[in-house]
């Protein structure tokens, strides 16, 4: 039997978005133990530069390596788009991203695909490139949605303002008659009810988390990394305020988690990011 300390799967995101991936892990791989990290001190990632994202990702992965994880899911599309290829070969455990898995799932569902994501993911063209690599005949439209993450993190999903923002972001995709929509950010499944109200009922909603969890299941099997020990309670860690994360995550987890604060090397009072919506409004929606 493996020692339990080396038996967790690491999952990380900038905030509560990765909980949508965590819930699917609970459903499909209930025998696995998980370490969840949310970099809430530095969210949102979607308006950050590639250099910053790679720095953040390396810090998180270094910490997870010290915690002896056996595999990691980047439950953050921005990290997957900007950092995955840079860091995959640097660690002695498998690191899975969302974009290739999501693209494969979307191409099976539609030919006119919309992608909503952070500004950084949209600018990277990661989804467009991944989809076109699989099937060059598929049409792809991408929209950067800078306000979604802060609105979700502030628990404003049912705010009328959020619906207005969503209508603005989706308008061009609806005009282009998309048949499928990829959640290009793990926060966005939290908006599913709202998006369903706005989109034609025929549009398929594609959650890359469904496909990355299936890929992880195969990887665990191939590498003989399945957990045969006792399943440990999920360990929740954040770089920001534990109480804030525990409070907002309760509605999606169904329980109030015990949350630890972790100090990463580059987080200082100078780099602390405020979470008021005003900080994000300068980032414009990106159409590619």
């Amino acid at each position: 039997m493996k020692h339990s300390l080396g038996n967790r799967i690491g999952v990380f995101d900038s905030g509560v978005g990765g909980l949508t991936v965590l819930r699917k892990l609970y459903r499909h791989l209930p025998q696995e133990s998980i370490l969840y990290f949310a970099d809430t001190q530095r969210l949102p990632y979607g308006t950050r530069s590639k250099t910053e994202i790679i720095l953040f990702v390396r810090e998180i992965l270094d910490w997870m390596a010290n915690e002896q994880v056996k595999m990691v899911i980047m439950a953050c599309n921005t990290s997957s788009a900007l950092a995955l290829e840079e860091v995959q070969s640097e660690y002695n455990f498998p690191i899975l991203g969302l974009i290739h898995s999501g693209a494969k799932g979307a191409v099976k569902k539609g030919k006119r695909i919309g992608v909503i994501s952070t500004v950084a993911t949209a600018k990277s063209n990661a989804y467009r490139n991944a989809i076109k690599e699989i099937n060059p005949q598929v049409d792809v439209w991408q929209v950067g949605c800078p306000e979604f993450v802060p609105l979700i993190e502030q628990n404003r999903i049912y705010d009328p303002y959020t619906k207005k923002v969503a209508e603005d972001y989706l308008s061009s995709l609806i005009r282009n008659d998309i048949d499928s929509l990829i959640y290009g950010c793990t926060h966005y499944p939290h908006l599913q009810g709202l998006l369903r109200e706005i989109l034609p009922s025929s549009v398929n909603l594609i959650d890359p988390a469904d496909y990355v969890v299936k890929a992880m299941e195969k990887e665990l099997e191939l590498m003989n990394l399945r957990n045969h020990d006792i399943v440990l309670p999920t360990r929740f860690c954040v770089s920001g305020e534990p109480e804030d994360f525990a409070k907002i995550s309760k509605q999606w987890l169904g329980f109030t988690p015990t949350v630890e604060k972790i100090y990463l090397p580059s987080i200082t009072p100078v780099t602390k990011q405020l979470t008021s919506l005003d900080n994000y409004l300068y980032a414009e929606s990106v159409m590619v």
Side-chain angles (χ1 to χ4, degrees):
M1 277 191 182
K2 302 181 188 75
H3 192 281
S4 61
L5 277 177
N7 211 25
R8 290 187 190 265
I9 292 169
V11 179
F12 75 85
D13 183 43
S14 61
V16 298
L19 298 179
T20 60
V21 178
L22 182 64
R23 287 188 305 183
K24 293 182 191 298
L25 285 171
Y26 285 163
R27 188 176 308 133
H28 297 290
L29 294 169
Q31 74 280 16
E32 297 295 338
S33 303
I34 299 164
L35 168 62
Y36 184 95
F37 179 78
D39 196 6
T40 51
Q41 185 83 332
R42 302 186 289 201
L43 69 82
Y45 276 18
T47 55
R48 298 283 194 168
S49 69
K50 180 173 181 175
T51 302
E52 286 179 300
I53 295 297
I54 292 170
L55 169 67
F56 298 170
V57 167
R58 283 198 175 111
E59 287 186 348
I60 294 164
L61 290 172
D62 287 348
W63 173 74
M64 285 192 163
N66 287 334
E67 297 299 323
Q68 297 181 286
V69 297
K70 63 182 179 182
M71 190 177 287
V72 168
I73 293 182
M74 281 189 188
C76 170
N77 283 271
T78 303
S79 297
S80 295
L82 300 182
L84 182 63
E85 290 184 5
E86 298 270 350
V87 302
Q88 265 182 322
S89 62
E90 297 176 6
Y91 297 87
N92 63 358
F93 45 78
I95 304 169
L96 280 68
L98 292 153
I99 289 167
H100 185 67
S101 298
K104 282 175 68 176
V107 168
K108 290 175 184 175
K109 297 274 190 178
K111 301 295 183 189
R112 299 177 65 80
I113 298 172
V115 184
I116 51 174
S117 70
T118 66
V119 172
T121 300
K123 282 183 176 177
S124 76
N125 269 327
Y127 271 106
R128 178 194 290 278
N129 294 340
I131 290 166
K132 291 287 191 180
E133 189 176 319
I134 299 164
N135 185 348
Q137 306 307 314
V138 172
D139 292 317
V140 185
W141 292 270
Q142 301 171 124
V143 182
C145 308
E147 291 193 57
F148 274 167
V149 168
L151 286 167
I152 293 164
E153 290 284 340
Q154 292 171 23
N155 205 15
R156 294 178 61 187
I157 290 169
Y158 304 105
D159 191 317
Y161 176 76
T162 305
K163 184 173 184 179
K164 181 182 180 301
V165 168
E167 287 171 341
D168 289 344
Y169 289 152
L170 295 173
S171 60
S172 62
L173 300 177
I174 293 169
R175 283 198 305 273
N176 282 304
D177 197 27
I178 60 167
D179 57 27
S180 303
L181 180 72
I182 297 176
Y183 296 133
C185 173
T186 51
H187 282 74
Y188 297 174
H190 294 313
L191 296 171
Q192 181 159 316
L194 179 60
L195 300 179
R196 270 277 165 241
E197 282 180 37
I198 299 167
L199 291 165
S201 58
S202 59
V203 174
N204 302 304
L205 295 178
I206 311 294
D207 187 350
D210 289 320
Y211 302 95
V212 78
V213 169
K214 288 176 186 174
M216 170 162 276
E217 194 167 8
K218 289 179 185 174
E219 192 91 0
L220 288 167
E221 200 66 52
L222 284 170
M223 299 188 70
N224 196 27
L225 289 173
R226 289 272 199 175
N227 181 32
H228 301 293
D229 290 342
I230 294 168
V231 179
L232 302 171
T234 301
R235 185 178 168 204
F236 292 92
C237 301
V238 298
S239 58
E241 294 303 321
E243 298 80 8
D244 293 346
F245 181 85
K247 184 178 178 181
I248 192 170
S249 62
K250 179 183 178 181
Q251 62 188 301
W252 294 303
L253 291 172
F255 61 91
T256 302
T258 300
V259 184
E260 304 170 46
K261 185 175 177 71
I262 301 297
Y263 294 88
L264 297 176
S266 71
I267 296 182
T268 67
V270 176
T271 62
K272 180 177 179 180
Q273 297 298 300
L274 299 176
T275 55
S276 68
L277 188 59
D278 295 340
N279 281 345
Y280 315 125
L281 296 184
Y282 74 90
E284 296 177 351
S285 180
V286 175
M287 283 295 295
V288 184

